[in-house]
Amino acid sequence: MNNITITTAAKIDDKAPLVIIGGKKTKWQNFGLTKNEVDYLKEILKGDEKNTAIPSLHRLIYIITEPGKDTAYQDYEKYRVAGNKTTSLLNNAKKTEVYITGDITDEKAYLAFAEGMALGNYQFLKYKKENKEKNSLQNIYIVNDKIKKQDVEFVNISVDAVSIARTLVNEPVSFLDAVQLTKEFEKLAKDSGVKIEIFNKAKIESMKFGGLLAVNRGSQTPPTFTILEYKPAKPVNKNPIILVGKGVVYDTGGLSLKPTPNSMDTMKCDMAGAAVAACTIYAAAKLKLPVHIISLIPATDNRPGENAYTPGDVIKMHSGLNVEVLNTDAEGRMILADALSYAKKFNPELVMDFATLTGAAAAAIGPKGIVYMGNATDNIKNALEQSGNNVYERLVEFPMWDEYKDLIKSDIADIKNIGGPVAGAITAGKFLEYFVDYPWLHFDIAGGAFINSADSYRGKGGTGIGIRLVLDYLKNYGSRK
Ligand code: BES
Ligand code: ZN
Ligand code: ZN
């Protein structure tokens, strides 16, 4: 659960910390500041300070931020970042609550600020014996009568879903193996009313999920395949939207072993796509969005155990296609392919897969955004790009030109599971394309799913990237169709 709650309040509490969001023309004395405080503030604001948090001597914290006339999406991000800074200040001062008010008219700014505060308050302390570092902040009150309860609820649930995903990503495989992952999904399903079905190894064998079984062969733990479904009473979509998530609970590379420390150390994050698929449907159900959604999550670890699949193997996939494996470290596409071809039976309106799929995607754009590609309409792509900007999980579309297909031709099978030395993120996408026959988008979150140093409210470790993106997209889904 999220450890912090945002609520609206009718008035500020004189004894509690206060944040005032204003601009150059703000009459600070109207918010109950003393003359000394106002003079001090004016002095500071003479300088270049804009999006900055200034702690004062006792209970007050002033925030000044000056977006342009029409608030641009970059400005909302500045509010989130300022919110995160304020969270640090309040936690350092061991404060448990804060009131946010101000005279700027854009109510989305207050929500963005509170969102940045709440996201920045996340911690993963399960394995710390001493809990001295635990954040004190628990309650954020927004004092602004224009803010709707349901918008506050959206932020709370979204932050909660992101926090759960971050914890799942931060959990090591010593706890979170493919079976434990399904137990976590069961908890989420129970908590949100989402329907859940879990395929065990015998069922996965009977379903002929050849890709998932191949990757699992070097493992001591059986694979799992989870289906989550949220179907509201009157969905705006006739056919479901499907979220597919890569659930590689640990990626050693298999026999094509990864070197450590460079590239294996953080590979507990290789189920970040699974976390997106599960936590997004969880949040959508809690928010009661009028959208029928299904999540499909194949899960296993990828290890070089004695029966491990090998470079040179040919694997018959769930779709019937034969894949020549030339690198066992390209395992994500093997398990996703089975989920994608299985998705056909639901006759989906749109399938979006989320995966920490390639180092190439991470190398191309780094942690700040998401590489995506696929055959969905420009309308869908534009709406998603807009959502990417709204939540600052920005999308970069990669091309899927026909010529890339040549790079995954196999000498002896239908296709091979790696391309050449170039265009690695795209050849992974072209591989997946073989298994879809519906509107589809592939999101490669390898760059941003796990970060080694904090980036404002996206702290160190798992980030939950992808969830806020899809929730923003789904929020407007009905009205957009
Ligand atoms: N899980 C990795 C990709 C990855 C890299 C995720 C960095 C997060 C951060 C994936 O399974 C992988 O190993 N991909 C290979 C594919 C290659 C063998 C074709 C890669 O990107 O090197
Ligand atoms: Zn791999
Ligand atoms: Zn992987």
Side-chain angles (χ1 to χ4, degrees):
M1 272 301 279
N2 180 20
N3 54 348
I4 195 160
T5 314
I6 307 168
T7 21
T8 50
K11 55 180 179 51
I12 60 178
D13 173 347
D14 290 341
K15 287 178 210 73
L18 177 68
V19 169
I20 306 168
I21 304 181
K24 282 255 190 282
K25 290 185 190 138
T26 299
K27 297 206 168 55
W28 304 98
Q29 56 276 18
N30 290 356
F31 295 96
L33 305 199
T34 64
K35 179 159 186 318
N36 278 350
E37 286 167 338
V38 172
D39 290 346
Y40 169 79
L41 189 57
K42 282 191 176 151
E43 201 51 45
I44 291 201
L45 298 181
K46 271 186 196 156
D48 291 333
E49 297 283 8
K50 279 184 182 164
N51 300 288
T52 182
I54 309 153
S56 98
L57 295 175
H58 48 291
R59 75 173 175 94
L60 296 161
I61 293 172
Y62 314 109
I63 298 294
I64 166 91
T65 127
E66 284 201 321
K69 238 185 173 173
D70 303 309
T71 311
Y73 73 86
Q74 290 94 338
D75 293 314
Y76 293 119
E77 180 66 359
K78 288 180 190 155
Y79 285 116
R80 287 183 201 105
V81 170
N84 176 64
K85 277 190 199 154
T86 311
T87 290
S88 306
L89 290 170
L90 291 168
N91 279 318
N92 287 343
K94 297 271 173 271
K95 301 293 181 189
T96 57
E97 57 178 13
V98 64
Y99 284 73
I100 305 171
T101 186
D103 65 354
I104 55 159
T105 48
D106 180 2
E107 58 277 19
K108 273 164 58 184
Y110 298 93
L111 288 168
F113 188 92
E115 183 183 36
M117 285 198 79
L119 287 167
N121 203 47
Y122 172 83
Q123 292 181 294
F124 182 62
L125 297 172
K126 179 175 164 188
Y127 298 103
K128 298 255 187 198
K129 215 170 162 192
E130 300 214 9
N131 247 356
K132 279 190 203 138
E133 303 155 53
K134 196 167 179 340
N135 285 339
S136 52
L137 193 63
Q138 286 167 9
N139 282 298
I140 301 171
Y141 300 102
I142 308 179
V143 183
N144 181 304
D145 47 19
K146 277 198 334 208
I147 289 182
K148 294 196 205 85
K149 283 230 157 57
Q150 113 198 36
D151 290 338
V152 173
E153 186 69 349
F154 189 92
V155 179
N156 273 324
I157 291 176
S158 152
V159 170
D160 185 31
V162 170
S163 304
I164 295 168
R166 290 173 74 173
T167 296
L168 289 174
V169 172
N170 288 333
E171 277 288 2
V173 68
S174 49
F175 169 74
L176 194 67
D177 62 20
V179 173
Q180 184 62 36
L181 187 67
T182 63
K183 294 189 179 146
E184 301 300 318
F185 293 157
E186 274 174 333
K187 284 186 225 162
L188 291 180
K190 201 169 167 210
D191 197 16
S192 62
V194 161
K195 212 171 94 187
I196 182 165
E197 187 179 6
I198 299 161
F199 293 171
N200 63 13
K201 187 173 180 185
K203 176 74 179 172
I204 289 167
E205 280 167 346
S206 76
M207 298 295 297
K208 298 193 166 60
F209 285 168
L212 178 56
L213 288 163
V215 175
N216 181 253
R217 265 174 39 194
S219 173
Q220 304 269 13
T221 314
T224 58
F225 188 91
T226 304
I227 303 170
L228 297 158
E229 180 169 21
Y230 164 58
K231 192 170 187 181
K234 284 193 190 125
V236 291
N237 49 335
K238 199 161 136 254
N239 297 319
I241 291 186
I242 298 189
L243 306 175
V244 174
K246 171 178 173 182
V248 172
V249 287
Y250 195 80
D251 184 11
T252 68
L255 285 173
S256 312
L257 196 64
K258 285 181 189 294
T260 180
N262 296 332
S263 53
M264 203 191 292
D265 294 7
T266 58
M267 278 304 133
K268 64 177 183 181
C269 82
D270 218 14
M271 37 54 70
V276 173
C279 296
T280 303
I281 199 169
Y282 160 86
K286 286 208 139 184
L287 289 163
K288 302 194 171 62
L289 297 183
V291 193
H292 180 196
I293 310 167
I294 294 174
S295 293
L296 303 177
I297 303 165
T300 176
D301 48 354
N302 181 27
R303 293 193 194 251
E306 52 178 348
N307 197 35
Y309 80 137
T310 72
D313 273 353
V314 175
I315 305 298
K316 195 179 186 72
M317 308 291 282
H318 170 259
S319 75
L321 215 66
N322 285 318
V323 173
E324 184 183 13
V325 175
L326 288 175
N327 192 320
T328 63
D329 198 10
E331 84 297 339
R333 64 197 76 181
M334 299 293 288
I335 74 168
L336 288 172
D338 283 347
L340 289 173
S341 62
Y342 180 71
K344 289 179 193 175
K345 79 168 212 167
F346 300 103
N347 194 20
E349 189 157 292
L350 172 65
V351 176
M352 294 186 272
D353 77 70
F354 289 83
T356 44
L357 205 61
T358 66
I365 68 159
K368 294 277 183 185
I370 302 177
V371 166
Y372 89 115
M373 62 199 89
N375 65 15
T377 61
D378 284 347
N379 270 351
I380 295 176
K381 287 179 183 172
N382 291 339
L384 274 155
E385 285 187 18
Q386 181 62 53
S387 288
N389 290 346
N390 289 346
V391 304
Y392 224 64
E393 296 182 350
R394 292 160 294 177
L395 296 179
V396 183
E397 186 177 4
F398 275 21
M400 295 205 86
W401 301 320
D402 258 1
E403 288 79 354
Y404 292 117
K405 256 187 164 175
D406 297 342
L407 300 175
I408 52 170
K409 273 186 183 157
S410 160
D411 289 339
I412 63 161
D414 297 316
I415 49 172
K416 58 181 177 178
N417 80 332
I418 51 163
V422 299
I426 298 171
T427 48
K430 289 305 272 187
F431 180 95
L432 299 177
E433 196 182 33
Y434 270 92
F435 301 89
V436 306
D437 68 353
Y438 41 65
W440 158 76
L441 291 170
H442 157 60
F443 297 81
D444 194 329
I445 55 170
F450 192 96
I451 53 180
N452 286 315
S453 54
D455 175 20
S456 177
Y457 59 86
R458 296 170 205 87
K460 233 187 215 188
T463 62
I465 194 170
I467 296 170
R468 292 169 57 245
L469 167 78
V470 185
L471 284 177
D472 189 87
Y473 175 69
L474 293 177
K475 178 164 82 172
N476 304 312
Y477 194 74
S479 55
R480 214 187 282 112
K481 278 188 67 183

